[in-house]
Amino acid sequence: MLLLASGLVFSHTSFGQDSNRPNIVFIFTDDHCQQALSAYDPSRMTTPNMDRIAEQGMKFNRCYVTNAICGPSRAVIQTGKHSHLNGFMVNGIIFDGNQQTFPKLLQKAGYQTAVVGKWHLASTPQGYDHFDVLIGQGPYYNPPMRTRDSSGEVVTREHTGYTTDIITDKTMDWLKNGREDGKPFMLMYQHKAPHRNWQPGPKYLTWLDDVTIPEPETLYDDYSTRATPAYEQAMEIKTHLNERDLKLTAPPNLTSNQLAEWSAAYDPKNEAYLNNKDRMSEKEIIQWKYQRYVKDYLRTVKSVDDGIGEVLDYLDESGLAENTIVIYSSDQGWYLGEHGWFDKRWMYEESLKTPLLVKWSGVVEAGSINNDIVSNLDFAQTFLDLAGVRSPSDMQGSSMVPIFKGKTPLNWRNSFYYHYYEFPGGHSVARHCGVTNGKHKLIHYYQKGEWELFDIEKDPSELNNVYDNPEYASIVKSLNRELNQLRKQYQVPDDDPDFQKLREEARAKRRRGEI
Ligand code: SGN
Ligand code: CA
């Protein structure tokens, strides 16, 4: 064992010397689902640069998030703890940045740390030598961003251009000019895209105009057999997309040049639709909205993929790729029309699963595929393990490094705990917790006293709730036991906090200029 002056212990099984410790480039997007990443599903678009990571590394088919919503997912990554312990259970509150986080531990262990792009945790990033982040959600064009100036003061800087490109430029600039020689680094390169409302960049405003994107089988789902929450949500393509989402109105914050390009692309398409609309059936209108929505979403992904290509090229050309692990993931999955929806939040497969691709030259086998249940809960401990830092005992995930090396530990999890809290909230998805082992899934809408059980192997689209089917009684029983056991293991309290109050407090802090 090697004891550093900072008091951190390096485990003898890992990297003892700085020169051996790998750099980490963590590429992260917002709301990017496996269905729009060609290494997982080539039916809608190609993402050649994300695919490069899969081809040179490992693709995880079962990376589950613990709480499928933005800020909470990010807080889980920062802390390696479930939402109820890190305190950031719903969007709209303030992350307690004073708590233990993995970047702070990496910094102490001698890593240089940086985060560029979307942050969405409200409080000023702690544990980073460099940050340059969007404010809240941030816009698709012309984003103000917060950083520290040379005197250490936090300042807001204005930018003109497409946010995805700006985040890539800043990432490249930090890689080329921001790093300190002789120190390993951990860089978080985090896009806003493809978050709602899916504004394409100038380069892709008309891309896909001439193609028809296939519809998912469940686009016209009527929710029969499901518990009441599926009927009560507000995230249907048919009903809940507004004029901005559908690009029937241009974004309000474009420069005159940006607006001219935007209008040249959308006005003719919109005119054709509006002239026809009265003659279209309800189904044809859903189909039009679906095409408009999905194409815009894919267009925003395309710019992300281009940016990733630039970063990967630079890592290759500079020689950094040799000792840099590159990870691609998103804060959760997303509905690209499945169940008739956009958005996320549910424990259903499309939002529970997030993409995870990992390349690490000489360690991760190129083109390998993994089906273990891994999670955003594991990221913090994985990063620490890569740096040779032993995980604090209060973190709740596990290092994925053995899996990267092709050796899944015998005691790796085979069931997974999920918990979504944001109700009342955007899109009206009921609070629920649940457990899945990848074969079956039990969901408890605990405020309503309703349950769902899905046989994922037989019914991967989760159309048949079999909770009341006597053939599944023993599975319900054993999953229920597992759910209780996991709640105990993770120290989940019986009652939820008063989110209304926490949000009020956050609003008051904002008003007082304290964040
Ligand atoms: C915004 C979006 C919602 C989205 C939430 C949370 N509305 O409120 O559609 O679910 O963010 O997203 S919008 O009209 O403002 O785009 S998250 O990624 O931050 O969790
Ligand atoms: Ca998100």
Side-chain angles (χ1 to χ4, degrees):
M1 295 240 182
L2 180 66
L3 249 115
L4 285 199
S6 63
L8 279 165
V9 183
F10 281 69
S11 71
H12 51 272
T13 49
S14 294
F15 310 88
Q17 284 168 6
D18 251 17
S19 58
N20 290 336
R21 294 195 288 166
N23 306 306
I24 303 165
V25 173
F26 179 69
I27 309 172
F28 201 57
T29 42
D30 197 315
D31 298 355
H32 187 205
C33 54
Q34 295 185 354
Q35 307 92 286
L37 199 166
S38 47
Y40 286 99
D41 179 348
S43 67
R44 296 174 184 81
M45 72 181 300
T46 53
T47 48
N49 295 299
M50 295 175 193
D51 290 7
R52 250 162 94 181
I53 306 176
E55 281 153 20
Q56 294 173 21
M58 191 175 270
K59 176 175 80 170
F60 289 80
N61 283 330
R62 284 201 186 120
C63 182
Y64 296 159
V65 297
T66 61
N67 181 359
I69 183 91
C70 183
S73 171
R74 289 156 202 264
V76 167
I77 293 172
Q78 289 292 309
T79 60
K81 291 177 186 169
H82 275 279
S83 304
H84 59 276
L85 291 190
N86 70 46
F88 203 94
M89 299 158 85
V90 295
N91 276 338
I93 60 175
I94 301 168
F95 178 66
D96 172 12
N98 291 327
Q99 67 186 301
Q100 165 186 279
T101 62
F102 86 83
K104 291 185 191 173
L105 298 173
L106 285 187
Q107 244 182 353
K108 274 197 204 158
Y111 267 63
Q112 198 185 358
T113 58
V115 56
V116 177
K118 186 163 175 183
W119 172 246
H120 207 206
L121 289 171
S123 48
T124 302
Q126 293 190 40
Y128 294 92
D129 297 303
H130 171 74
F131 67 82
D132 200 345
V133 295
L134 297 173
I135 299 164
Q137 298 282 6
Y140 267 100
Y141 281 82
N142 313 322
M145 292 175 78
R146 290 173 83 210
T147 188
R148 268 187 214 287
D149 68 10
S150 48
S151 70
E153 192 82 11
V154 177
V155 290
T156 300
R157 297 208 169 113
E158 302 296 329
H159 303 83
T160 305
Y162 189 53
T163 301
T164 300
D165 299 339
I166 290 167
I167 291 171
T168 298
D169 290 348
K170 284 178 180 284
T171 297
M172 291 290 286
D173 184 50
W174 188 84
L175 276 171
K176 288 180 178 166
N177 308 311
R179 290 184 300 112
E180 275 175 57
D181 277 347
K183 261 193 173 184
F185 67 86
M186 188 284 302
L187 166 66
M188 301 179 92
Y189 163 37
Q190 309 204 134
H191 284 290
K192 174 203 171 57
H195 189 271
R196 190 181 182 191
N197 57 13
W198 324 290
Q199 295 172 24
K203 197 171 156 196
Y204 292 114
L205 289 167
T206 58
W207 181 64
L208 301 174
D209 267 3
D210 302 330
V211 299
T212 303
I213 307 297
E215 289 175 6
E217 268 172 41
T218 60
L219 181 59
Y220 308 100
D221 191 0
D222 63 3
Y223 316 121
S224 57
T225 84
R226 255 55 57 75
T228 54
Y231 297 84
E232 292 168 353
Q233 43 62 40
M235 49 190 276
E236 287 173 45
I237 290 173
K238 180 171 74 181
T239 320
H240 301 108
L241 291 171
N242 61 37
E243 300 228 319
R244 286 237 166 97
D245 294 328
L246 292 168
K247 315 301 175 326
L248 296 170
T249 320
N253 68 328
L254 301 182
T255 65
S256 54
N257 284 346
Q258 289 164 349
L259 183 60
E261 282 189 273
W262 184 279
S263 304
Y266 282 100
D267 286 359
K269 301 187 248 189
N270 290 346
E271 225 176 276
Y273 168 66
L274 294 171
N275 285 338
N276 234 338
K277 201 174 161 232
D278 291 344
R279 286 185 291 277
M280 287 161 78
S281 66
E282 189 184 312
K283 184 168 180 190
E284 284 169 336
I285 291 182
I286 296 174
Q287 289 176 323
W288 183 86
K289 287 183 178 178
Y290 168 78
Q291 291 296 328
R292 171 59 57 97
Y293 149 60
V294 173
K295 285 181 185 180
D296 285 338
Y297 178 99
L298 302 180
R299 288 169 177 137
T300 68
V301 172
K302 197 71 179 158
S303 294
V304 170
D305 191 69
D306 288 349
I308 292 175
E310 261 187 68
V311 170
L312 293 179
D313 284 347
Y314 177 72
L315 294 176
D316 284 344
E317 285 154 17
S318 62
L320 280 169
E322 236 169 80
N323 196 31
T324 298
I325 175 162
V326 178
I327 300 176
Y328 178 78
S329 194
S330 183
D331 56 354
Q332 27 30 234
W334 180 259
Y335 298 88
L336 267 190
E338 297 84 1
H339 303 295
W341 293 341
F342 63 97
D343 216 69
K344 53 252 179 177
R345 300 165 193 267
W346 299 89
M347 196 195 172
Y348 300 148
E349 292 291 286
E350 290 83 356
S351 45
L352 174 68
K353 277 183 186 168
T354 201
L356 178 63
L357 308 171
V358 178
K359 93 177 177 80
W360 188 8
S361 172
V363 181
V364 173
E365 191 189 334
S368 50
I369 294 173
N370 181 281
N371 291 313
D372 296 319
I373 299 177
V374 299
S375 171
N376 59 346
L377 189 65
D378 300 324
F379 291 178
Q381 279 157 274
T382 302
F383 299 147
L384 293 173
D385 195 12
L386 288 168
V389 179
R390 183 170 292 165
S391 297
S393 58
D394 57 352
M395 287 191 173
Q396 298 184 308
S398 298
S399 165
M400 293 183 281
V401 171
I403 299 182
F404 296 166
K405 294 178 175 169
K407 290 199 174 68
T408 303
L410 285 175
N411 60 352
W412 193 258
R413 76 168 69 77
N414 43 36
S415 67
F416 184 78
Y417 179 70
Y418 181 85
H419 202 145
Y420 171 78
Y421 297 90
E422 203 173 306
F423 186 91
H427 304 289
S428 293
V429 174
R431 290 185 202 177
H432 55 288
C433 64
V435 61
T436 181
N437 53 22
K439 295 187 181 76
H440 295 96
K441 183 188 294 178
L442 179 70
I443 305 178
H444 187 201
Y445 301 97
Y446 52 94
Q447 290 183 306
K448 292 176 158 276
E450 293 187 60
W451 296 81
E452 286 175 336
L453 178 78
F454 295 99
D455 184 332
I456 305 164
E457 282 183 336
K458 279 203 193 135
D459 173 29
S461 303
E462 296 165 305
L463 293 175
N464 299 309
N465 170 22
V466 291
Y467 183 76
D468 289 323
N469 182 336
E471 281 172 34
Y472 287 90
S474 66
I475 291 172
V476 167
K477 210 171 156 195
S478 72
L479 281 183
N480 212 329
R481 209 179 304 124
E482 186 67 15
L483 182 61
N484 288 328
Q485 196 279 323
L486 289 173
R487 285 176 61 92
K488 218 162 133 191
Q489 177 188 329
Y490 292 130
Q491 303 155 46
V492 186
D494 288 335
D495 298 316
D496 294 342
D498 182 346
F499 297 121
Q500 205 52 31
K501 199 170 138 220
L502 293 174
R503 285 212 180 98
E504 294 287 324
E505 282 167 14
R507 267 195 290 274
K509 277 198 174 169
R510 266 190 207 103
R511 270 198 305 274
R512 294 197 298 268
E514 285 170 26
I515 51 159

